[in-house]
Every structure is written in structure tokens, then in C-alpha cells.
């Protein structure tokens, strides 16, 4: 019987597998897609300095090819007030990093293969059966059907499902993502600009920018259908002519909402990553929160409990993660709500708040530490 079975071979599941393997804890990764399926994923991840430290400990950071963020520029369209958050103020070499999700997945997969972690691709979990001292996962693969027993199952695949105990909020928005080029070099600056339709993020990625453009759901199709020239002209107008955009890559869109489990554990089960909480991409907290969840679980399991799926251990994990989870969920949801109020008084108040933040280095440092390290930053 395995101590831990991990369902999902994406970056979250593979990170947990590497941590457990490094601590001598047997585990297996059960992954529905074939090997290498996610290595060409061009979506981008915003990685905090804290996430870099975790990935360095796993020995994969040097192969990811991430672009550092030295400065974050926050503003709102058409109103006064902006703030700059710099890495030097937070005492770190970079506030964060930008990497393609496929590069992160490939680096972790290669590290797992080199370490001898058990990776079972094309293996779909069709159900589970909980017993007194184990959970039995009913799996289907090209080899046939089988039952995989484990003390604990870590669900690290897919999004939060429609089960009891799930909090949901539909923002009525979609994110249009693309890679864009500008005549001005990215120069390590990330831009978060709040508009009447929602936040727009420009993140440095090599010699180009990764774009995450939030729009009302009803406007997504029209924006996606624009030719490159019209698309870039509209984007340039949002940034008041700061950039001269020259090219755009393929576009994709996905709906935005908040979904999270009130508690990320149940009997002999723990949920991680998007399976535990799906956040709005504003402030780029999703994957960083997931890595902190994984690191905390691995720390508890590294103490070699006799039963990795015991109720006591899972309760301790949920308690240890409560403050950080609530903080990250509250920050992202709060930003969407605060900047979503459309009246002159609220817009002036937000501008004054950004100006005040720019004049208060202690407040900026606090905010940066919170974004970098989660609740530890407090």
C-alpha cells in the first residue's frame, strides 16, 4: 500500500511527488494525459520569490528559463494615482518571475523521471472507496482496470468541482491571454492596470510581454475576433500610449470566477492547487499559493507519521494553511470588487489609495512581502 497517491501530473502534483521522494516517502503520480502532454502549454505563470526558493530546493529552477520582475507598476486608467513596488525595497533580487507553464511542467517531469518517481500516465481515476486505514482508487489505463490502495490521496488535478462545501462567485468576466511585442523593451517591469472592464496585466517574458486582459464575458468574442492591428491599437489605448505594440501572438480566453473549498481536506483526502481553490489571476497568486500548500503538506509528511492519511495530520494541515489561504483569496477577490465599483467617488478614492501607497515605503514593503511569502510575510 502506498503512503500517498497523487492524482494529477501537472506542476502541483509533480512538485509534491518530488518533495515526498526527497524525504524518502513512497508515492505514485496517477495522470490521465499521456506523458509530455502539458509541456507545450504557453500559458504563463507568475512565480513569486518564495516559489523560486521552493523550486530551487527541488533542483529545477535553473531549467525553467523564467524572466525576473524587478518592478511592479500599478495604476488605473484615466485617473490619477499610481504606485511602484521595487524588489530592492522588499530585500529580494526580484519581486517575482514569469515563466511558461509548459516549461515549469517539463522541468518538474524530467526531475521526477531522473529521481525515479513513479509516474503512471494515461491512468484515469474513476472513483474511490474509503476504508478504515486506506483509500482504494479505482483506475483505468491501457493496462486495464485496477485498484490502487493508499493511506492518503492528494487530488491535484482539475478545478474545484461542484460538491458540497464549495464557495463560488462568477465575476462575469473572461481573460484574453496572448503574447505581444512592443518597441520598448520589457525591462523587467510588470504592469497591472485597472480599467472600467477589469484589470489588464503586462508581464515581461523574454523580449516580449505576456498579456492577461480582463473583459466582460459578453465582449470576449468581439475582442478575440479583432485583427492584430485593431487588437493592438485598443491595447495601446488602455495604456495611454505608453507602449507602441508591434505584434501579437495567438489569443485564447477563459472564464474568471472564484471557487474554493472551505476546507481542503476530508477523510483520507487533501486537495491542492486548482482542485482546492481557483482564483482570479489579478496579483498572480494562484500557483504560488498552491506551492505553499504543497510545501506545508510535505513538511508534515516528512515527520514520518505511521498513517499519512490520519484525521489528525489532515486537520493540522488545514489549520496550518487557513490564514494563508484566506489571505490570498481575500486579496484577489477584494481587488476585483474594489476596482469593479464604477463611480467617480470610488475611482478618486482608489487613486488616492495608490498615491498613498506610493508615498509609504513601509506599506509597500509589507504588501510585497505578503505577495512573495504569503502569510509568512506578515
Amino acid at each position: 500500500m502506498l503512503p500517498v497517491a497523487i492524482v494529477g501530473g501537472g506542476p502541483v502534483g509533480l512538485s509534491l511527488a518530488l518533495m515526498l521522494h526527497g524525504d524518502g516517502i513512497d508515492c505514485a503520480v496517477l495522470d490521465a494525459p499521456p506523458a509530455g502532454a502539458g509541456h507545450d502549454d504557453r500559458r504563463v505563470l507568475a512565480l513569486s520569490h518564495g516559489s523560486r526558493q521552493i523550486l530551487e530546493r527541488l533542483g529545477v529552477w535553473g531549467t525553467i528559463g523564467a524572466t525576473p520582475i524587478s518592478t511592479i507598476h500599478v495604476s488605473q486608467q484615466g485617473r490619477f494615482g499610481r504606485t511602484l513596488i521595487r524588489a530592492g525595497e522588499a530585500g529580494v533580487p526580484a519581486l517575482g518571475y514569469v515563466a511558461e507553464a509548459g516549461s515549469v511542467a517539463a522541468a518538474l517531469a524530467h526531475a521526477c523521471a531522473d529521481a525515479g518517481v513513479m509516474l503512471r500516465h494515461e491512468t484515469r481515476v474513476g472513483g474511490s472507496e474509503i476504508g478504515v486505514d486506506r483509500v482504494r482508487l479505482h483506475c483505468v489505463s491501457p493496462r486495464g482496470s485496477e485498484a490502487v490502495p493508499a493511506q492518503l490521496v492528494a487530488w491535484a488535478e482539475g478545478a474545484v468541482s461542484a460538491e458540497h462545501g464549495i464557495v463560488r462567485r462568477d465575476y462575469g468576466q473572461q481573460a484574453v491571454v496572448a503574447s505581444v511585442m512592443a518597441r520598448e523593451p520589457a525591462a523587467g517591469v510588470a504592469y497591472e492596470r485597472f480599467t472600467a472592464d477589469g484589470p489588464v496585466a503586462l508581464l515581461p517574458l523574454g523580449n516580449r510581454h505576456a498579456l492577461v486582459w480582463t473583459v466582460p464575458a459578453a465582449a470576449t468574442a468581439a475582442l478575440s475576433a479583432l485583427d492584430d492591428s485593431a487588437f493592438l491599437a485598443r491595447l495601446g489605448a488602455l495604456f495611454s500610449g505608453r507602449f507602441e505594440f508591434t505584434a501579437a501572438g495567438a489569443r485564447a480566453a477563459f472564464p474568471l470566477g472564484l471557487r474554493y473549498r472551505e476546507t481542503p481536506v476530508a477523510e483520507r483526502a487533501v486537495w491542492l492547487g486548482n482542485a482546492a481553490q481557483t482564483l482570479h489571476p489579478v496579483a498572480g497568486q494562484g500557483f504560488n499559493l498552491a506551492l505553499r500548500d504543497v510545501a506545508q503538506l510535505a513538511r508534515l509528511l516528512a515527520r514520518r507519521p505511521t498513517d499519512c492519511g490520519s484525521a489528525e495530520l489532515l486537520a493540522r494541515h488545514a489549520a496550518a494553511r487557513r490564514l494563508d489561504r484566506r489571505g490570498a483569496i481575500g486579496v484577489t477577490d477584494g481587488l476585483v470588487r474594489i476596482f469593479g465599483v464604477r463611480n467617480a467617488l470610488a475611482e478618486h478614492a482608489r487613486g488616492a489609495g495608490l498615491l498613498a501607497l506610493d508615498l509609504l515605503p513601509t506599506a509597500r514593503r509589507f504588501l510585497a512581502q505578503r505577495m512573495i511569502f504569503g502569510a509568512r510575510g506578515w
Side-chain angles (χ1 to χ4, degrees):
M1 178 171 61
L2 288 167
V4 183
I6 302 168
V7 180
V12 174
L14 295 177
S15 295
L16 177 60
L18 268 181
M19 290 181 193
L20 297 183
H21 182 81
D23 289 323
I25 300 170
D26 287 339
C27 64
V29 178
L30 311 175
D31 194 30
H39 296 184
D40 294 326
D41 189 347
R42 295 299 179 88
R43 291 176 299 174
V44 296
L45 296 173
L47 306 172
S48 69
H49 181 71
S51 292
R52 170 182 172 162
Q53 292 176 322
I54 293 172
L55 295 169
E56 282 179 331
R57 290 197 295 271
L58 295 178
V60 301
W61 179 253
T63 61
I64 289 174
T67 300
I69 297 172
S70 60
T71 304
I72 298 176
H73 183 290
V74 185
S75 63
Q76 60 174 343
Q77 184 189 19
R79 297 291 179 182
F80 80 99
R82 68 99 174 94
T83 192
L84 296 176
I85 304 173
R86 298 180 175 87
E89 294 178 332
V92 293
L95 290 168
Y97 303 83
V98 184
E100 291 185 344
S103 296
V104 178
L108 288 164
H110 292 149
C112 282
D114 291 344
V117 173
M118 188 186 300
L119 299 173
R120 300 175 61 173
H121 298 289
E122 299 182 70
T123 300
R124 188 175 301 279
V125 178
S128 62
E129 179 184 344
I130 300 173
V132 174
D133 63 348
R134 69 190 64 192
V135 57
R136 293 169 62 87
L137 299 175
H138 301 291
C139 302
V140 179
S141 72
R143 298 176 296 277
S145 300
E146 61 178 320
V148 177
Q151 293 177 339
L152 172 67
V153 57
W155 299 96
E157 180 180 64
V160 177
S161 58
E163 301 173 11
H164 179 70
I166 305 300
V167 177
R168 305 174 188 82
R169 181 168 295 121
D170 182 3
Y171 294 123
Q173 299 173 328
Q174 292 206 20
V176 176
V177 297
S179 173
V180 297
M181 296 286 292
R183 295 198 188 280
E184 305 81 0
V189 181
Y191 294 87
E192 188 88 57
R193 189 155 177 85
F194 291 90
T195 76
D197 290 336
V200 181
L202 273 181
L203 308 174
L205 184 62
N207 63 350
R208 62 193 194 278
H209 296 270
L211 169 68
V212 183
W213 187 345
T214 303
V215 295
T220 306
L223 180 64
S224 299
L226 293 175
D227 62 36
D228 285 357
S229 178
F231 180 82
L232 294 174
R234 282 192 57 181
L235 179 61
L238 288 181
F239 284 91
S240 305
R242 175 186 292 272
F243 298 98
E244 184 180 352
F245 294 106
T246 58
R251 300 166 217 164
F254 57 91
L256 299 177
L258 171 66
R259 295 188 302 279
Y260 65 92
R261 296 177 180 273
E262 293 180 309
T263 176
V265 301
E267 190 175 6
R268 298 204 169 273
V270 59
W271 285 269
L272 301 165
N274 283 337
Q277 62 267 326
T278 303
L279 310 182
H280 194 287
V282 65
Q285 288 299 292
F287 184 64
N288 299 302
L289 176 61
L291 277 185
R292 297 195 296 270
D293 289 343
V294 166
Q296 172 61 34
L297 178 63
R299 279 193 292 270
L300 287 175
L301 294 173
R303 297 171 186 173
R304 302 299 183 92
T306 56
D307 183 354
C308 290
S310 71
E312 178 188 1
L313 183 145
L314 293 175
R316 289 171 61 195
H317 172 72
R321 296 303 303 144
R322 187 171 295 119
L323 178 62
D324 195 14
R325 287 187 78 230
R326 288 179 176 176
I329 291 167
V331 166
T332 55
D333 186 49
L335 284 172
V336 174
R337 288 167 171 267
I338 289 170
F339 281 91
V341 177
R342 307 317 308 175
N343 62 59
L345 180 60
E347 290 167 359
H348 284 300
R350 291 192 296 263
L354 288 173
L355 179 61
L357 185 60
D358 199 52
L359 296 173
L360 296 171
T362 301
R364 290 198 306 277
R365 188 159 49 248
F366 170 84
L367 179 61
Q369 291 287 330
R370 177 61 182 80
M371 295 297 103
I372 292 168
F373 298 114
R376 285 193 300 132
W378 295 357

